[in-house]
Amino acid sequence: MRLGKMAPASGCRAVRGLGVLLVVLAVARGVLALTEQYPTLSLLKQRQGMAGGCASAGEWAEQYSSESDSSFLHFHESDCDIGGSSSCESVLSLNTEKILSQAKLLAEQKRFPFATDNDNTNEELAIAYVLIGNGLYDEAIRHFSTMLQEEPELVSAIYGRGIAYGKKGLHDMKNAELALFELSRVVSLEPDHPEVFEQRAEILSPLGRISEALSDLTKAIQLQPSARLYRHRGTLYFISEDYATAHEDFQRSLELNKNQPIAMLYKGLTFFHRGLLKEAIESFKEALKQKADFIDAYKSLGQAYRELGNFDAATENFQKALLLNQNHVQTLQLKGMMLYHHGSLDEALKNFKRCLQLEPYNEVCQYMKGLSHVAMGHFYEGIKAQTKVMLNDPLPGQKATPEYLKVKYLREYSRYLHAHLDIPLTEYNIDIDLPGNFKDHWAKNLPFLIENYEEQPGLQPHIKDVLFQNFESYKPDVQELICVADHLGSMMQYETPGFLPNKRIHRAMGLATLEVMQAVQRTWANSKVRMNGKTRLMQWRDMFDIAVKWRRIADPDQPVLWLDQMPARSLSRGFNNHINLIRGQVINMRYLEYFEKILHFIKDRILVYHGANNPKGLLEVREALEKVHKVEDLLPIMKFNSKTRDGFTVNTKVPSLKDQGKEYDGFTITITGDKVGNILFSVETQTTEERTQLYHAEIDALYKDLTAKGKILILSAELGEVDAVCNLILSLVYYFYNLMPLSRGSSVIAYSVIMGALMASGKEVSGKIPKGKASIKYIAMTAPGSEAFSKIARSWMNLKSISPSYKSLPSVSETFPTLRTMIEVLNTDSSHCLKKPIVVV
């Protein structure tokens, strides 16, 4: 009996428990290799703008091995500990008889692939498989090779050698090629064994050859379907973002073996990525019934509730995950991001710092730590954290992370803010001060490749960071101002999936509302305002700029910039505001409420198009459209005309009030589809110089009329005057929404202007935005005209006469005249506001 030459192994060189077999073949844990190579198998994949990661390889190994339905043996692990010495001896010092006895047992029971009818041959094969199990891959390869010299078509040896090459490490392409070569030989010799196809798929998938891996798994399923195979194939479909097909495979797997928490988790993830949050939540809960200590299920459940906007339920489930493992980095990261977007920056920072203690090179936590510090006015710590992210240059050929792309813009913006902390806001203008190419690249999220860019000045030691301001340190009237702002801001919250309440944004936009009210009242009383270092009468842009400045400082991560202040070259090409409603199989739940309305509009436009270009086929098109109930149903309609076979666009029109009969370009709806039914359903507005001028002329005329009627209103309290002013305010904002003149934040900025201007006219919004209405801008953009928009908006606003006590509130602009004072008030705790009534409501 030959044992072959064995090189000495020092220490524990990749050997856990010499003398025992850990897992005979990777087939028993097929998906383990996939999850090690593809960290995207998690709740959030960063390329979709989401942060997160998968469990560690050890966690996945434990989870998958516990579910394995393989027929191969699983030996117990030995007491060999990494770093120990007594039980981690050289293989030469092992008891050879012990190895042989284990191999003999394995051979007698034929518990390895492709056992033969020859007992001696089986013992030889078993020895090599024992070597594989102990991590001695080179020794196993030599042993198999010696056997193959004598018997070239010994299938078990070919198969085992392929396994050993794969185990050596796929990072070396030579190993991968040899592993695939050997497994392909086995397929040609023994084409009816599903485990070979499965094993080859395990090699192919980490190499990015997903379609080939899927083909192999499909063949394995055809030969012998199993819960494991369906689960593995579903995992690959999931990686490929074919969530519907992945869902089918996970469902089949669960039908064959319902007690699979991993498969149930992934079933939930296929729902999650398609925007079906409630269905995802049910699956995650079912996974927890099967495995009560399933950290990834709690993490996923927390993120699903966060996407629904349910902060309390999300917090509860993130906390349950951390109770099971306080060092679970992905949960700390996701919880920290949720807290940031909830406006709880102090708590968010604690999670990011803990995340970095455990994983110092975590780019997401590092970026978010820097962002949180800057948002709170801690510029020294913020820029220090940002610089660490900047040092993580991607390797050649490696795609830059979203954090790396954004961090240079954030650092420059942070420096600008720090330099202007104590300068009155009336004396400078970000849109004018920041270089045009910088703003253009920032708003488009392009790599920071700006020619001749001159960096912002570094931090100046004489400008101190923002200090925490206790609520009690403010005078009583300012305390009242803050509490009123919190209440007004909460009125702007959308109650629909995808919108998490953000108390920091609420306060900022509540203060913006009050400042707009006060500024408009002064304007109607013929008072001038101080803007950009000049004293003059307020214009409509100044009114919106009040809200813009508050929105900017509430979250410095987002570039809230006027598009018409971008470089002329950028505007001449058209600056697009683009939102995907459906991309592939991913549904944007935020705007689901508007799908039906947009669908009706598209159907009408299709009939008009075919009436003009295909009158003979109009009846057929009309009959087909009657059967269209969802966007996907439009794909077959495209084939009625060669020009629309691959997709089509539909443009909305916005009627002018200034010039009756004239129309402006609204937004563009695009629908494209592929052969397998994946579609892109998106809306965008294209901001060109010509389009901007047309809208500006319309808004200028409305603002002029509004100012004139506002001045009359101050002198007269007649109901008709008030009603006319309200309609003018809503009409003006209707055109603002359709213009989409800002790179971010248009919706909440415009709504705070509506509320503030209405309060200046003596009317207060007392009703909340209806549940399911995801964005006021889409109500405006889908309304047939300004009158229709005004009617819809007023139906829920429940306007009532304003309380006289608003007049006693201090001036917002005088109370918070600088960035420092604005940041201070946004940082201030407001919990006690809930304990006392707000007198103005």
Side-chain angles (χ1 to χ4, degrees), residues 15 526 577:
V15 183
N526 288 319
N577 266 307

Side-chain angles (χ1 to χ4, degrees), residues 607 610-611 613-624 640:
L607 287 173
H610 281 278
N613 297 282
N614 181 28
K616 292 182 179 179
L618 183 60
L619 179 61
E620 185 182 6
V621 172
R622 190 186 300 277
E623 290 175 351
F640 281 100

Side-chain angles (χ1 to χ4, degrees), residues 131-152:
L131 293 172
I132 290 178
N134 285 281
L136 296 170
Y137 308 127
D138 286 329
E139 300 305 326
I141 289 168
R142 291 192 192 101
H143 199 80
F144 284 131
S145 297
T146 301
M147 297 185 72
L148 287 166
Q149 286 176 0
E150 297 180 4
E151 194 173 345

